Amino acid sequence: MPESLFQVKRLSELAQSGQLKGKRVLIRADLNVPQDEAGNITEDTRIRASMPAVQMCLDAGAAVMVTSHLGRPTEGQFKSEDSLAPVADRIANLLHRKVPLISNWVDGGFEVNPGEIVLLENCRLNVGEKKNNDELAKKIAALCDVYVNDAFGTAHRAEATTHGVAKFAPVACAGPLMAAELDALSRALASPKRPLVAIVAGSKVSSKLTILKALSEKVDELIVGGGIANTFMLAKGLPIGKSLAEPDLVNEAREIMDLMEKRGAHVPIPEDVVVANELSPLARANRVASDQVAEDDMILDIGPKTAARLSTMLAHAGTIVWNGPLGVFEIDQFGGGTKMLAAAIAHSPAFSIAGGGDTLAAIAKYGIENQVDYISTGGGAFLEFLEGKTLPAFAVLAERAKG
């Protein structure tokens, strides 16, 4: 992971040095919030998280324009449910100021003065947005003096407002959310403190195979969990009963273990597991040694011995990257492994970064939000970064920072 990828211009630097005063600033935020049938916002974390960038620009004397996608509208076909109107109302409440919503804004024709903010209607309604059309990007870039990308969740997509505008705007920089994500990912993967321990868990090896392969070249310990661990157990010749696994990927699992062992790294295989005959809240959980799984058993969690061994590993780690719970933690009797590892991560002196929807749910369930150093809200972008892919939004900001 080259360090140069993380060297970008930052909004905070421009604000502090007075370079935003009187300037037209366009912020690409991630305001894609859930709504109920009536269009009421049911959870506004993303809107709140986007406000520091907006406030920074207003305080610096900029004329502020904000845009975002919402849902998956059809380009060029406006429907009321695709409108950012509820978002404009919520921002107005949070900032205690008027926030006009501008439709059909690509060709300009609207006014915003220094110290004011407008919200530009759902950017995915613009024809050419998803295809990263250069003509559209140039028109949008002409609206601003400074472009700010503060939407890490879309960093893996090359679209007009996440990539194209950054190419053509006079100045392109990262907002505080994007900068924090860059810093955390850089610390975890570009220059990690060793040992670097990754936890990758989930139902399928196939969905995480590229991540497992990419991490197997970097990490010192690769802890696998869920259906992924069952496939690795199969690769070691262990019985897994009727557990979820992918027998056709056993060779890939062996390759990953061999590759790591050659450089003195490891994939720790569970020595005990928690099994049941059915996946239900009423199922009886039994702990068995990992070579004693019966034919009608389903492995639904790691056992306490394994959890204790992995917890010791995490206690001595320098950096921890966590993506995925270790068992079916939503059902308490199959959540012991995830709970124990969550506590180990919380108490470890290591720098810890976590991401992925199920991981965030586990962090919330076990109440360790304040003890994980960085929680990525990027979802797909976080996973693609772990795969070693170059994220288009990062790459273009790094490129612009050189010029």
Side-chain angles (χ1 to χ4, degrees), residues 9-23 25-27 48-66 91 95 97 114-117 146 148-150 173-180:
K9 274 199 175 90
R10 292 163 185 253
L11 179 65
S12 53
E13 293 158 7
L14 298 177
Q16 282 157 15
S17 58
Q19 292 179 64
L20 300 181
K21 191 167 178 60
K23 301 288 189 196
V25 176
L26 172 64
I27 301 172
R48 289 176 182 276
S50 299
M51 289 308 99
V54 172
Q55 196 63 58
M56 194 183 288
C57 293
L58 290 170
D59 291 346
V64 183
M65 299 165 278
V66 182
I91 295 173
L95 296 181
R97 61 164 68 225
E116 292 177 354
I117 171 178
V146 177
V148 182
N149 192 334
D150 208 26
C173 67
L177 288 176
M178 181 73 95

mmCIF file of all heavy atoms in Angstrom, residues 9-23 25-27 48-66 91 95 97 114-117 146 148-150 173-180:
data_model
loop_
_atom_site.group_PDB
_atom_site.id
_atom_site.type_symbol
_atom_site.label_atom_id
_atom_site.label_comp_id
_atom_site.label_asym_id
_atom_site.label_seq_id
_atom_site.Cartn_x
_atom_site.Cartn_y
_atom_site.Cartn_z
ATOM 1 N N LYS A 9 -4.666 16.846 -0.519
ATOM 2 C CA LYS A 9 -4.990 18.146 0.074
ATOM 3 C C LYS A 9 -6.155 17.935 1.024
ATOM 4 O O LYS A 9 -7.044 17.130 0.756
ATOM 5 C CB LYS A 9 -5.420 19.129 -1.010
ATOM 6 C CG LYS A 9 -4.282 19.871 -1.685
ATOM 7 C CD LYS A 9 -4.822 21.133 -2.377
ATOM 8 C CE LYS A 9 -3.683 21.955 -2.943
ATOM 9 N NZ LYS A 9 -3.346 21.593 -4.319
ATOM 10 N N ARG A 10 -6.170 18.716 2.118
ATOM 11 C CA ARG A 10 -7.232 18.564 3.110
ATOM 12 C C ARG A 10 -8.001 19.861 3.284
ATOM 13 O O ARG A 10 -7.409 20.941 3.300
ATOM 14 C CB ARG A 10 -6.623 18.142 4.452
ATOM 15 C CG ARG A 10 -6.049 16.733 4.358
ATOM 16 C CD ARG A 10 -5.091 16.416 5.487
ATOM 17 N NE ARG A 10 -4.507 15.090 5.246
ATOM 18 C CZ ARG A 10 -4.813 13.999 5.928
ATOM 19 N NH1 ARG A 10 -5.670 14.078 6.930
ATOM 20 N NH2 ARG A 10 -4.277 12.841 5.636
ATOM 21 N N LEU A 11 -9.290 19.725 3.445
ATOM 22 C CA LEU A 11 -10.151 20.886 3.632
ATOM 23 C C LEU A 11 -9.706 21.703 4.853
ATOM 24 O O LEU A 11 -9.684 22.934 4.800
ATOM 25 C CB LEU A 11 -11.606 20.433 3.816
ATOM 26 C CG LEU A 11 -12.635 21.546 4.040
ATOM 27 C CD1 LEU A 11 -12.760 22.435 2.807
ATOM 28 C CD2 LEU A 11 -13.998 20.958 4.407
ATOM 29 N N SER A 12 -9.333 21.012 5.923
ATOM 30 C CA SER A 12 -8.939 21.713 7.160
ATOM 31 C C SER A 12 -7.757 22.654 6.918
ATOM 32 O O SER A 12 -7.721 23.774 7.433
ATOM 33 C CB SER A 12 -8.586 20.706 8.260
ATOM 34 O OG SER A 12 -7.620 19.792 7.776
ATOM 35 N N GLU A 13 -6.801 22.212 6.074
ATOM 36 C CA GLU A 13 -5.628 23.047 5.772
ATOM 37 C C GLU A 13 -6.039 24.295 4.986
ATOM 38 O O GLU A 13 -5.553 25.398 5.250
ATOM 39 C CB GLU A 13 -4.598 22.249 4.955
ATOM 40 C CG GLU A 13 -3.949 21.105 5.729
ATOM 41 C CD GLU A 13 -3.358 20.035 4.814
ATOM 42 O OE1 GLU A 13 -3.332 20.235 3.572
ATOM 43 O OE2 GLU A 13 -2.938 18.986 5.346
ATOM 44 N N LEU A 14 -6.940 24.113 4.016
ATOM 45 C CA LEU A 14 -7.400 25.252 3.208
ATOM 46 C C LEU A 14 -8.169 26.246 4.077
ATOM 47 O O LEU A 14 -8.026 27.461 3.930
ATOM 48 C CB LEU A 14 -8.289 24.772 2.057
ATOM 49 C CG LEU A 14 -7.636 23.834 1.021
ATOM 50 C CD1 LEU A 14 -8.661 23.400 -0.014
ATOM 51 C CD2 LEU A 14 -6.470 24.514 0.316
ATOM 52 N N ALA A 15 -8.984 25.720 4.995
ATOM 53 C CA ALA A 15 -9.780 26.588 5.875
ATOM 54 C C ALA A 15 -8.872 27.396 6.797
ATOM 55 O O ALA A 15 -9.033 28.613 6.952
ATOM 56 C CB ALA A 15 -10.764 25.752 6.691
ATOM 57 N N GLN A 16 -7.896 26.694 7.394
ATOM 58 C CA GLN A 16 -6.999 27.363 8.349
ATOM 59 C C GLN A 16 -6.124 28.424 7.684
ATOM 60 O O GLN A 16 -5.772 29.423 8.305
ATOM 61 C CB GLN A 16 -6.102 26.319 9.047
ATOM 62 C CG GLN A 16 -6.840 25.555 10.144
ATOM 63 C CD GLN A 16 -6.203 24.209 10.459
ATOM 64 O OE1 GLN A 16 -5.059 23.940 10.075
ATOM 65 N NE2 GLN A 16 -6.941 23.345 11.139
ATOM 66 N N SER A 17 -5.781 28.205 6.423
ATOM 67 C CA SER A 17 -4.885 29.157 5.752
ATOM 68 C C SER A 17 -5.655 30.262 5.016
ATOM 69 O O SER A 17 -5.072 31.027 4.245
ATOM 70 C CB SER A 17 -3.969 28.414 4.771
ATOM 71 O OG SER A 17 -4.757 27.718 3.826
ATOM 72 N N GLY A 18 -6.963 30.338 5.243
ATOM 73 C CA GLY A 18 -7.765 31.425 4.664
ATOM 74 C C GLY A 18 -8.063 31.278 3.188
ATOM 75 O O GLY A 18 -8.518 32.228 2.545
ATOM 76 N N GLN A 19 -7.826 30.086 2.628
ATOM 77 C CA GLN A 19 -8.006 29.902 1.178
ATOM 78 C C GLN A 19 -9.456 29.652 0.758
ATOM 79 O O GLN A 19 -9.733 29.475 -0.424
ATOM 80 C CB GLN A 19 -7.133 28.745 0.689
ATOM 81 C CG GLN A 19 -5.637 29.056 0.773
ATOM 82 C CD GLN A 19 -4.800 27.871 0.309
ATOM 83 O OE1 GLN A 19 -4.861 27.480 -0.844
ATOM 84 N NE2 GLN A 19 -4.023 27.300 1.221
ATOM 85 N N LEU A 20 -10.382 29.622 1.738
ATOM 86 C CA LEU A 20 -11.787 29.397 1.399
ATOM 87 C C LEU A 20 -12.611 30.681 1.416
ATOM 88 O O LEU A 20 -13.748 30.702 0.949
ATOM 89 C CB LEU A 20 -12.421 28.384 2.371
ATOM 90 C CG LEU A 20 -11.808 26.984 2.429
ATOM 91 C CD1 LEU A 20 -12.572 26.111 3.408
ATOM 92 C CD2 LEU A 20 -11.785 26.322 1.051
ATOM 93 N N LYS A 21 -12.023 31.750 1.935
ATOM 94 C CA LYS A 21 -12.786 32.995 2.105
ATOM 95 C C LYS A 21 -13.282 33.514 0.753
ATOM 96 O O LYS A 21 -12.520 33.697 -0.184
ATOM 97 C CB LYS A 21 -11.902 34.051 2.790
ATOM 98 C CG LYS A 21 -12.695 35.273 3.251
ATOM 99 C CD LYS A 21 -11.857 36.134 4.180
ATOM 100 C CE LYS A 21 -12.617 37.378 4.606
ATOM 101 N NZ LYS A 21 -13.861 37.099 5.329
ATOM 102 N N GLY A 22 -14.597 33.694 0.661
ATOM 103 C CA GLY A 22 -15.198 34.211 -0.571
ATOM 104 C C GLY A 22 -15.251 33.219 -1.709
ATOM 105 O O GLY A 22 -15.675 33.555 -2.814
ATOM 106 N N LYS A 23 -14.815 31.994 -1.470
ATOM 107 C CA LYS A 23 -14.779 30.981 -2.541
ATOM 108 C C LYS A 23 -16.076 30.186 -2.599
ATOM 109 O O LYS A 23 -16.771 30.017 -1.600
ATOM 110 C CB LYS A 23 -13.621 29.990 -2.305
ATOM 111 C CG LYS A 23 -12.254 30.618 -2.244
ATOM 112 C CD LYS A 23 -11.785 31.074 -3.598
ATOM 113 C CE LYS A 23 -10.324 31.487 -3.511
ATOM 114 N NZ LYS A 23 -9.853 32.261 -4.599
ATOM 115 N N VAL A 25 -17.531 26.703 -2.684
ATOM 116 C CA VAL A 25 -17.064 25.364 -2.312
ATOM 117 C C VAL A 25 -18.183 24.354 -2.559
ATOM 118 O O VAL A 25 -19.319 24.550 -2.109
ATOM 119 C CB VAL A 25 -16.643 25.324 -0.822
ATOM 120 C CG1 VAL A 25 -16.259 23.903 -0.415
ATOM 121 C CG2 VAL A 25 -15.471 26.279 -0.568
ATOM 122 N N LEU A 26 -17.853 23.278 -3.292
ATOM 123 C CA LEU A 26 -18.814 22.201 -3.515
ATOM 124 C C LEU A 26 -18.382 20.979 -2.706
ATOM 125 O O LEU A 26 -17.292 20.445 -2.910
ATOM 126 C CB LEU A 26 -18.874 21.826 -5.004
ATOM 127 C CG LEU A 26 -19.713 20.586 -5.339
ATOM 128 C CD1 LEU A 26 -21.186 20.790 -4.991
ATOM 129 C CD2 LEU A 26 -19.564 20.194 -6.812
ATOM 130 N N ILE A 27 -19.250 20.550 -1.790
ATOM 131 C CA ILE A 27 -18.958 19.367 -0.972
ATOM 132 C C ILE A 27 -19.775 18.190 -1.481
ATOM 133 O O ILE A 27 -21.004 18.258 -1.550
ATOM 134 C CB ILE A 27 -19.315 19.605 0.516
ATOM 135 C CG1 ILE A 27 -18.538 20.797 1.081
ATOM 136 C CG2 ILE A 27 -19.046 18.349 1.342
ATOM 137 C CD1 ILE A 27 -18.985 21.223 2.477
ATOM 138 N N ARG A 48 -25.460 14.030 10.271
ATOM 139 C CA ARG A 48 -24.715 14.655 11.388
ATOM 140 C C ARG A 48 -23.204 14.585 11.143
ATOM 141 O O ARG A 48 -22.482 15.544 11.396
ATOM 142 C CB ARG A 48 -25.053 13.958 12.715
ATOM 143 C CG ARG A 48 -26.447 14.255 13.209
ATOM 144 C CD ARG A 48 -26.796 13.478 14.468
ATOM 145 N NE ARG A 48 -28.157 13.773 14.862
ATOM 146 C CZ ARG A 48 -28.519 14.833 15.587
ATOM 147 N NH1 ARG A 48 -27.620 15.680 16.003
ATOM 148 N NH2 ARG A 48 -29.788 15.038 15.887
ATOM 149 N N ALA A 49 -22.754 13.430 10.652
ATOM 150 C CA ALA A 49 -21.317 13.242 10.408
ATOM 151 C C ALA A 49 -20.803 14.174 9.325
ATOM 152 O O ALA A 49 -19.614 14.519 9.292
ATOM 153 C CB ALA A 49 -21.043 11.789 10.022
ATOM 154 N N SER A 50 -21.683 14.606 8.421
ATOM 155 C CA SER A 50 -21.276 15.484 7.317
ATOM 156 C C SER A 50 -21.240 16.965 7.691
ATOM 157 O O SER A 50 -20.720 17.785 6.929
ATOM 158 C CB SER A 50 -22.224 15.299 6.130
ATOM 159 O OG SER A 50 -22.184 13.963 5.674
ATOM 160 N N MET A 51 -21.788 17.319 8.849
ATOM 161 C CA MET A 51 -21.891 18.730 9.209
ATOM 162 C C MET A 51 -20.558 19.425 9.546
ATOM 163 O O MET A 51 -20.408 20.607 9.254
ATOM 164 C CB MET A 51 -22.898 18.920 10.368
ATOM 165 C CG MET A 51 -24.367 18.705 9.950
ATOM 166 S SD MET A 51 -24.891 19.674 8.494
ATOM 167 C CE MET A 51 -24.757 18.476 7.173
ATOM 168 N N PRO A 52 -19.570 18.742 10.144
ATOM 169 C CA PRO A 52 -18.304 19.442 10.415
ATOM 170 C C PRO A 52 -17.667 20.063 9.165
ATOM 171 O O PRO A 52 -17.144 21.177 9.222
ATOM 172 C CB PRO A 52 -17.411 18.357 11.015
ATOM 173 C CG PRO A 52 -18.381 17.430 11.682
ATOM 174 C CD PRO A 52 -19.582 17.413 10.779
ATOM 175 N N ALA A 53 -17.730 19.366 8.030
ATOM 176 C CA ALA A 53 -17.163 19.912 6.779
ATOM 177 C C ALA A 53 -17.929 21.165 6.365
ATOM 178 O O ALA A 53 -17.334 22.182 5.980
ATOM 179 C CB ALA A 53 -17.231 18.873 5.666
ATOM 180 N N VAL A 54 -19.259 21.100 6.461
ATOM 181 C CA VAL A 54 -20.103 22.238 6.084
ATOM 182 C C VAL A 54 -19.812 23.430 6.996
ATOM 183 O O VAL A 54 -19.590 24.556 6.524
ATOM 184 C CB VAL A 54 -21.604 21.837 6.177
ATOM 185 C CG1 VAL A 54 -22.498 23.053 5.992
ATOM 186 C CG2 VAL A 54 -21.927 20.751 5.149
ATOM 187 N N GLN A 55 -19.775 23.172 8.303
ATOM 188 C CA GLN A 55 -19.542 24.250 9.275
ATOM 189 C C GLN A 55 -18.157 24.873 9.092
ATOM 190 O O GLN A 55 -17.992 26.084 9.181
ATOM 191 C CB GLN A 55 -19.691 23.706 10.705
ATOM 192 C CG GLN A 55 -19.849 24.778 11.770
ATOM 193 C CD GLN A 55 -21.107 25.618 11.595
ATOM 194 O OE1 GLN A 55 -22.210 25.096 11.576
ATOM 195 N NE2 GLN A 55 -20.948 26.937 11.438
ATOM 196 N N MET A 56 -17.183 24.026 8.790
ATOM 197 C CA MET A 56 -15.807 24.502 8.558
ATOM 198 C C MET A 56 -15.778 25.502 7.395
ATOM 199 O O MET A 56 -15.126 26.548 7.465
ATOM 200 C CB MET A 56 -14.913 23.289 8.243
ATOM 201 C CG MET A 56 -13.432 23.550 8.295
ATOM 202 S SD MET A 56 -12.501 22.049 7.816
ATOM 203 C CE MET A 56 -12.751 20.988 9.224
ATOM 204 N N CYS A 57 -16.506 25.185 6.332
ATOM 205 C CA CYS A 57 -16.542 26.063 5.153
ATOM 206 C C CYS A 57 -17.305 27.354 5.444
ATOM 207 O O CYS A 57 -16.877 28.441 5.035
ATOM 208 C CB CYS A 57 -17.180 25.328 3.981
ATOM 209 S SG CYS A 57 -16.192 23.949 3.391
ATOM 210 N N LEU A 58 -18.431 27.238 6.148
ATOM 211 C CA LEU A 58 -19.214 28.434 6.494
ATOM 212 C C LEU A 58 -18.395 29.367 7.389
ATOM 213 O O LEU A 58 -18.338 30.574 7.171
ATOM 214 C CB LEU A 58 -20.520 28.027 7.201
ATOM 215 C CG LEU A 58 -21.569 27.325 6.319
ATOM 216 C CD1 LEU A 58 -22.693 26.763 7.190
ATOM 217 C CD2 LEU A 58 -22.135 28.274 5.269
ATOM 218 N N ASP A 59 -17.734 28.773 8.383
ATOM 219 C CA ASP A 59 -16.913 29.569 9.312
ATOM 220 C C ASP A 59 -15.754 30.251 8.587
ATOM 221 O O ASP A 59 -15.281 31.309 9.005
ATOM 222 C CB ASP A 59 -16.349 28.685 10.438
ATOM 223 C CG ASP A 59 -17.438 28.193 11.387
ATOM 224 O OD1 ASP A 59 -18.560 28.741 11.335
ATOM 225 O OD2 ASP A 59 -17.173 27.261 12.168
ATOM 226 N N ALA A 60 -15.286 29.618 7.496
ATOM 227 C CA ALA A 60 -14.147 30.167 6.742
ATOM 228 C C ALA A 60 -14.593 31.208 5.716
ATOM 229 O O ALA A 60 -13.782 31.717 4.944
ATOM 230 C CB ALA A 60 -13.390 29.038 6.060
ATOM 231 N N GLY A 61 -15.909 31.490 5.678
ATOM 232 C CA GLY A 61 -16.406 32.537 4.774
ATOM 233 C C GLY A 61 -16.648 32.090 3.354
ATOM 234 O O GLY A 61 -16.609 32.888 2.413
ATOM 235 N N ALA A 62 -16.913 30.779 3.174
ATOM 236 C CA ALA A 62 -17.162 30.259 1.825
ATOM 237 C C ALA A 62 -18.650 30.287 1.494
ATOM 238 O O ALA A 62 -19.499 30.323 2.382
ATOM 239 C CB ALA A 62 -16.639 28.829 1.732
ATOM 240 N N ALA A 63 -18.938 30.270 0.198
ATOM 241 C CA ALA A 63 -20.300 30.041 -0.291
ATOM 242 C C ALA A 63 -20.402 28.534 -0.506
ATOM 243 O O ALA A 63 -19.650 27.971 -1.317
ATOM 244 C CB ALA A 63 -20.520 30.776 -1.605
ATOM 245 N N VAL A 64 -21.286 27.876 0.233
ATOM 246 C CA VAL A 64 -21.244 26.410 0.321
ATOM 247 C C VAL A 64 -22.374 25.748 -0.465
ATOM 248 O O VAL A 64 -23.551 26.071 -0.279
ATOM 249 C CB VAL A 64 -21.302 25.954 1.802
ATOM 250 C CG1 VAL A 64 -21.173 24.434 1.894
ATOM 251 C CG2 VAL A 64 -20.201 26.631 2.616
ATOM 252 N N MET A 65 -21.984 24.812 -1.321
ATOM 253 C CA MET A 65 -22.938 23.954 -2.034
ATOM 254 C C MET A 65 -22.658 22.515 -1.597
ATOM 255 O O MET A 65 -21.504 22.104 -1.546
ATOM 256 C CB MET A 65 -22.734 24.057 -3.547
ATOM 257 C CG MET A 65 -22.950 25.450 -4.119
ATOM 258 S SD MET A 65 -22.271 25.592 -5.812
ATOM 259 C CE MET A 65 -20.544 25.908 -5.488
ATOM 260 N N VAL A 66 -23.725 21.785 -1.282
ATOM 261 C CA VAL A 66 -23.569 20.388 -0.869
ATOM 262 C C VAL A 66 -24.422 19.529 -1.783
ATOM 263 O O VAL A 66 -25.555 19.899 -2.109
ATOM 264 C CB VAL A 66 -24.036 20.176 0.596
ATOM 265 C CG1 VAL A 66 -23.821 18.721 1.023
ATOM 266 C CG2 VAL A 66 -23.301 21.121 1.545
ATOM 267 N N ILE A 91 -30.853 19.251 7.752
ATOM 268 C CA ILE A 91 -29.644 20.095 7.834
ATOM 269 C C ILE A 91 -30.019 21.471 8.382
ATOM 270 O O ILE A 91 -29.308 22.022 9.232
ATOM 271 C CB ILE A 91 -28.957 20.223 6.452
ATOM 272 C CG1 ILE A 91 -28.419 18.863 5.990
ATOM 273 C CG2 ILE A 91 -27.804 21.236 6.509
ATOM 274 C CD1 ILE A 91 -27.882 18.853 4.564
ATOM 275 N N LEU A 95 -28.256 23.043 11.643
ATOM 276 C CA LEU A 95 -27.409 24.245 11.535
ATOM 277 C C LEU A 95 -28.135 25.530 11.953
ATOM 278 O O LEU A 95 -27.520 26.598 12.002
ATOM 279 C CB LEU A 95 -26.901 24.406 10.096
ATOM 280 C CG LEU A 95 -25.978 23.306 9.549
ATOM 281 C CD1 LEU A 95 -25.562 23.631 8.123
ATOM 282 C CD2 LEU A 95 -24.743 23.111 10.429
ATOM 283 N N ARG A 97 -30.325 27.287 10.326
ATOM 284 C CA ARG A 97 -30.287 28.277 9.240
ATOM 285 C C ARG A 97 -31.071 27.738 8.050
ATOM 286 O O ARG A 97 -31.376 26.557 7.976
ATOM 287 C CB ARG A 97 -28.846 28.602 8.842
ATOM 288 C CG ARG A 97 -28.056 27.402 8.333
ATOM 289 C CD ARG A 97 -26.811 27.828 7.597
ATOM 290 N NE ARG A 97 -25.823 28.442 8.464
ATOM 291 C CZ ARG A 97 -25.172 29.549 8.134
ATOM 292 N NH1 ARG A 97 -25.404 30.145 6.984
ATOM 293 N NH2 ARG A 97 -24.255 30.045 8.939
ATOM 294 N N PRO A 114 -21.182 34.081 0.078
ATOM 295 C CA PRO A 114 -20.322 33.666 1.180
ATOM 296 C C PRO A 114 -21.104 33.657 2.500
ATOM 297 O O PRO A 114 -21.892 34.562 2.766
ATOM 298 C CB PRO A 114 -19.219 34.723 1.192
ATOM 299 C CG PRO A 114 -19.149 35.174 -0.242
ATOM 300 C CD PRO A 114 -20.559 35.153 -0.729
ATOM 301 N N GLY A 115 -20.905 32.567 3.270
ATOM 302 C CA GLY A 115 -21.625 32.441 4.545
ATOM 303 C C GLY A 115 -22.985 31.786 4.401
ATOM 304 O O GLY A 115 -23.701 31.612 5.385
ATOM 305 N N GLU A 116 -23.362 31.420 3.146
ATOM 306 C CA GLU A 116 -24.649 30.758 2.915
ATOM 307 C C GLU A 116 -24.420 29.318 2.447
ATOM 308 O O GLU A 116 -23.344 28.965 1.979
ATOM 309 C CB GLU A 116 -25.461 31.494 1.837
ATOM 310 C CG GLU A 116 -25.935 32.868 2.261
ATOM 311 C CD GLU A 116 -26.680 33.611 1.153
ATOM 312 O OE1 GLU A 116 -26.743 33.119 -0.004
ATOM 313 O OE2 GLU A 116 -27.180 34.706 1.460
ATOM 314 N N ILE A 117 -25.483 28.518 2.572
ATOM 315 C CA ILE A 117 -25.408 27.120 2.120
ATOM 316 C C ILE A 117 -26.643 26.791 1.291
ATOM 317 O O ILE A 117 -27.755 27.232 1.606
ATOM 318 C CB ILE A 117 -25.296 26.139 3.322
ATOM 319 C CG1 ILE A 117 -25.446 24.681 2.847
ATOM 320 C CG2 ILE A 117 -26.313 26.449 4.406
ATOM 321 C CD1 ILE A 117 -25.304 23.621 3.928
ATOM 322 N N VAL A 146 -13.515 25.318 -5.241
ATOM 323 C CA VAL A 146 -12.918 24.232 -4.441
ATOM 324 C C VAL A 146 -13.909 23.073 -4.385
ATOM 325 O O VAL A 146 -15.081 23.260 -4.047
ATOM 326 C CB VAL A 146 -12.600 24.698 -2.996
ATOM 327 C CG1 VAL A 146 -12.041 23.538 -2.163
ATOM 328 C CG2 VAL A 146 -11.620 25.867 -2.994
ATOM 329 N N VAL A 148 -14.724 19.398 -2.627
ATOM 330 C CA VAL A 148 -14.408 18.632 -1.413
ATOM 331 C C VAL A 148 -15.101 17.279 -1.496
ATOM 332 O O VAL A 148 -16.324 17.215 -1.643
ATOM 333 C CB VAL A 148 -14.929 19.360 -0.142
ATOM 334 C CG1 VAL A 148 -14.549 18.582 1.113
ATOM 335 C CG2 VAL A 148 -14.438 20.791 -0.083
ATOM 336 N N ASN A 149 -14.331 16.202 -1.413
ATOM 337 C CA ASN A 149 -14.961 14.879 -1.318
ATOM 338 C C ASN A 149 -14.956 14.465 0.145
ATOM 339 O O ASN A 149 -13.902 14.298 0.750
ATOM 340 C CB ASN A 149 -14.224 13.837 -2.165
ATOM 341 C CG ASN A 149 -15.034 12.553 -2.292
ATOM 342 O OD1 ASN A 149 -15.859 12.232 -1.433
ATOM 343 N ND2 ASN A 149 -14.812 11.817 -3.366
ATOM 344 N N ASP A 150 -16.165 14.336 0.713
ATOM 345 C CA ASP A 150 -16.276 13.912 2.109
ATOM 346 C C ASP A 150 -17.167 12.678 2.209
ATOM 347 O O ASP A 150 -17.791 12.433 3.237
ATOM 348 C CB ASP A 150 -16.850 15.051 2.968
ATOM 349 C CG ASP A 150 -16.379 14.966 4.423
ATOM 350 O OD1 ASP A 150 -15.290 14.394 4.659
ATOM 351 O OD2 ASP A 150 -17.088 15.460 5.311
ATOM 352 N N CYS A 173 -9.954 18.524 -2.793
ATOM 353 C CA CYS A 173 -9.396 18.121 -1.488
ATOM 354 C C CYS A 173 -10.313 17.125 -0.785
ATOM 355 O O CYS A 173 -11.450 16.894 -1.199
ATOM 356 C CB CYS A 173 -9.184 19.354 -0.608
ATOM 357 S SG CYS A 173 -10.720 20.167 -0.120
ATOM 358 N N ALA A 174 -9.801 16.551 0.302
ATOM 359 C CA ALA A 174 -10.564 15.613 1.123
ATOM 360 C C ALA A 174 -11.184 16.350 2.298
ATOM 361 O O ALA A 174 -10.516 17.148 2.961
ATOM 362 C CB ALA A 174 -9.643 14.509 1.636
ATOM 363 N N GLY A 175 -12.460 16.069 2.556
ATOM 364 C CA GLY A 175 -13.118 16.614 3.741
ATOM 365 C C GLY A 175 -12.682 15.859 4.986
ATOM 366 O O GLY A 175 -11.946 14.874 4.890
ATOM 367 N N PRO A 176 -13.129 16.281 6.172
ATOM 368 C CA PRO A 176 -12.659 15.663 7.423
ATOM 369 C C PRO A 176 -12.990 14.181 7.557
ATOM 370 O O PRO A 176 -12.192 13.412 8.087
ATOM 371 C CB PRO A 176 -13.342 16.483 8.521
ATOM 372 C CG PRO A 176 -14.373 17.329 7.851
ATOM 373 C CD PRO A 176 -13.984 17.459 6.422
ATOM 374 N N LEU A 177 -14.159 13.734 7.047
ATOM 375 C CA LEU A 177 -14.503 12.304 7.139
ATOM 376 C C LEU A 177 -13.582 11.478 6.248
ATOM 377 O O LEU A 177 -13.060 10.446 6.654
ATOM 378 C CB LEU A 177 -15.950 12.070 6.692
ATOM 379 C CG LEU A 177 -17.068 12.535 7.616
ATOM 380 C CD1 LEU A 177 -18.416 12.305 6.951
ATOM 381 C CD2 LEU A 177 -17.011 11.795 8.946
ATOM 382 N N MET A 178 -13.389 11.957 5.025
ATOM 383 C CA MET A 178 -12.515 11.259 4.077
ATOM 384 C C MET A 178 -11.072 11.240 4.591
ATOM 385 O O MET A 178 -10.390 10.215 4.520
ATOM 386 C CB MET A 178 -12.577 11.951 2.714
ATOM 387 C CG MET A 178 -11.733 11.289 1.650
ATOM 388 S SD MET A 178 -12.433 9.741 1.086
ATOM 389 C CE MET A 178 -13.337 10.276 -0.339
ATOM 390 N N ALA A 179 -10.623 12.370 5.146
ATOM 391 C CA ALA A 179 -9.246 12.464 5.657
ATOM 392 C C ALA A 179 -9.038 11.507 6.835
ATOM 393 O O ALA A 179 -8.005 10.837 6.933
ATOM 394 C CB ALA A 179 -8.940 13.900 6.077
ATOM 395 N N ALA A 180 -10.046 11.418 7.718
ATOM 396 C CA ALA A 180 -9.937 10.519 8.885
ATOM 397 C C ALA A 180 -9.860 9.066 8.424
ATOM 398 O O ALA A 180 -9.093 8.258 8.967
ATOM 399 C CB ALA A 180 -11.136 10.721 9.811
#
